Amino acid sequence: TLREVFSIAGFTAGEMVINTFGYQLIPTGLALDHVLGHIGATVIPAGVGNADLQIKMMLDLRVTAYIGTPSWLMALIRKAEEMGLNFREKFALRKALVSAEPLPPFLRQTFVEQYGLAVTNAYGTAELGFLAYNTEGGLPMRLLESLIIQVAHPETGQPVSPGEVGEVVVPTFHE
C-alpha cells in the first residue's frame, strides 16, 4: 500500500526525498524509507527538528520531494523565507506527501499556488500503512483499491452508508 500511494503521489526512481517522519517508537519514517529505497529514490532521514540543517540539506542536495506532516513542511518554508530565501525559486522541491495530521484547505492551497507543489494527503495507521489518499483537495479521500476496507458501525459491525460515521476495518490476511 505504501508503494501504491507513492506512485499516486508521483514519486519515481531518482527522486531525492526528505523524510521528516520519525524513525523510532512508531517507525513510520523507517517503513517509508524502506519502500522509497525499493522505488529507487534517495532518502534523507531527517525527522522533525533542526530546521536550519534541513533547509541546507534541501538546498545542497536539490531535494525534489517531501514526506511528513503539513505543519512541518510549512515551518520549513517559513524558516527558509525568514533566512531570505525565495522558496519557489531556490528550492527543487516539487511534490509533497503529507500525513499524520489534518491538511486544511487553505494550507493545501498555499502549497499549490504560492510554492508550486503537487500535494498528496494520505491517511494511514502504524499497523497497516496508508489506506486512503487525496490529490485534489477538499476533505474526501479515495480508498486504496489494493485493500479491502470497510467502514462499519462500531456496535453492530454492519457497513455504514456513505457519509455516515463508523470505524475503519481492514483485514490483513497475515498469520
Side-chain angles (χ1 to χ4, degrees), residues 27-43:
T28 305
L30 186 60
L32 299 177
D33 190 305
H34 181 74
V35 173
L36 286 164
H38 281 289
I39 291 171
T42 300
V43 181

Side-chain angles (χ1 to χ4, degrees), residues 45-101:
V48 173
N50 203 342
D52 291 334
L53 179 58
Q54 288 193 28
I55 289 166
K56 181 168 177 31
M57 288 188 300
M58 290 172 71
L59 279 170
D60 293 349
L61 300 174
R62 306 290 299 154
V63 168
T64 58
Y66 168 93
I67 54 175
T69 63
S71 62
W72 182 245
L73 176 56
M74 183 49 72
L76 290 172
I77 291 170
R78 295 288 187 237
K79 181 69 172 177
E81 290 174 337
E82 288 171 13
M83 297 167 71
L85 300 168
N86 182 316
F87 194 86
R88 191 168 187 152
E89 291 179 11
K90 293 283 186 187
F91 289 77
L93 191 69
R94 294 296 171 255
K95 60 188 78 156
L97 175 61
V98 298
S99 190
E101 65 185 28

Side-chain angles (χ1 to χ4, degrees):
T1 64
L2 296 176
R3 185 177 284 226
E4 186 177 357
V5 171
F6 282 127
S7 177
I8 290 165
F11 285 59
T12 59
E15 206 81 65
M16 182 66 71
V17 182
I18 188 162
N19 182 357
T20 67
F21 280 120
Y23 280 70
Q24 71 287 345
L25 299 176
I26 298 174
T28 305
L30 186 60
L32 299 177
D33 190 305
H34 181 74
V35 173
L36 286 164
H38 281 289
I39 291 171
T42 300
V43 181
I44 301 163
V48 173
N50 203 342
D52 291 334
L53 179 58
Q54 288 193 28
I55 289 166
K56 181 168 177 31
M57 288 188 300
M58 290 172 71
L59 279 170
D60 293 349
L61 300 174
R62 306 290 299 154
V63 168
T64 58
Y66 168 93
I67 54 175
T69 63
S71 62
W72 182 245
L73 176 56
M74 183 49 72
L76 290 172
I77 291 170
R78 295 288 187 237
K79 181 69 172 177
E81 290 174 337
E82 288 171 13
M83 297 167 71
L85 300 168
N86 182 316
F87 194 86
R88 191 168 187 152
E89 291 179 11
K90 293 283 186 187
F91 289 77
L93 191 69
R94 294 296 171 255
K95 60 188 78 156
L97 175 61
V98 298
S99 190
E101 65 185 28
L103 174 60
F106 75 89
L107 187 53
R108 177 191 287 273
Q109 185 176 1
T110 300
F111 289 146
V112 171
E113 293 177 8
Q114 288 186 12
Y115 302 107
L117 300 177
V119 178
T120 300
N121 187 19
Y123 164 77
T125 69
E127 298 83 7
L128 299 169
F130 292 130
L131 304 175
Y133 67 93
N134 177 311
T135 57
E136 300 87 28
L139 296 178
M141 291 199 164
R142 296 176 190 266
L143 299 176
L144 292 176
E145 293 182 15
S146 62
L147 299 171
I148 298 171
I149 301 173
Q150 183 178 42
V151 181
H153 189 279
E155 292 175 14
T156 67
Q158 295 301 308
V160 298
S161 299
E164 286 187 65
V165 175
E167 293 180 349
V168 176
V169 179
V170 183
T172 61
F173 302 111
H174 294 300
E175 294 182 31

